[in-house]
Amino acid sequence: QVQLVESGGGLVQAGGSLRLSCAASGRTFSSYTMGWFRQAPGKEREFVAAITWSGGTAVYADSVKGRFAISRDNAENTVYLQMNSLKPEDSAVYYCAATVNYIATIPVEYAYWGQGTQVTVSS
């Protein structure tokens, strides 16, 4: 069982940066691949990035590749999403999630979810 709590969202101008954090409870955090998803109003939840349990492999959606970076600190039970060069279309509620799969990019593959944090990028 893993409980996830996101933080770090907010309002930022286009071109700016934000760093999201996701704190996990539970002793087995390091066993899970962690992912970030986002959902804008009226749209489906979409994959943003994922990182394997060791941090050795990370994958990104094409829309954020080169601008976002996912990382994790297993000693702190935390996963991060560094977001640079933000665009208005990045505005959404961002969720972190945990899965036992090696790499997963589809929401249904994730068993545990946080409550989300709002990111708003103004033009």
Side-chain angles (χ1 to χ4, degrees), residues 25-115:
S25 62
R27 294 179 298 170
T28 59
F29 172 75
S30 60
S31 300
Y32 292 92
T33 284
M34 299 299 297
W36 285 97
F37 289 78
R38 65 187 181 187
Q39 188 166 19
K43 295 188 177 182
E44 294 187 352
R45 192 166 298 190
E46 66 171 355
F47 171 75
V48 175
I51 188 167
T52 54
W53 68 271
S54 68
T57 298
V59 295
Y60 298 91
D62 288 343
S63 59
V64 306
K65 202 171 293 183
R67 301 188 297 123
F68 290 13
I70 189 172
S71 62
R72 67 189 295 163
D73 184 339
N74 287 342
E76 296 294 328
N77 280 11
T78 303
V79 62
Y80 304 97
L81 185 68
Q82 178 66 44
M83 305 186 295
N84 300 324
S85 302
L86 283 161
K87 305 174 181 180
E89 51 264 43
D90 294 318
S91 297
V93 177
Y94 282 71
Y95 300 89
C96 72
T99 179
V100 296
N101 296 321
Y102 178 68
I103 280 290
T105 62
I106 302 172
V108 71
E109 296 182 280
Y110 286 77
Y112 305 104
W113 291 85
Q115 293 300 305

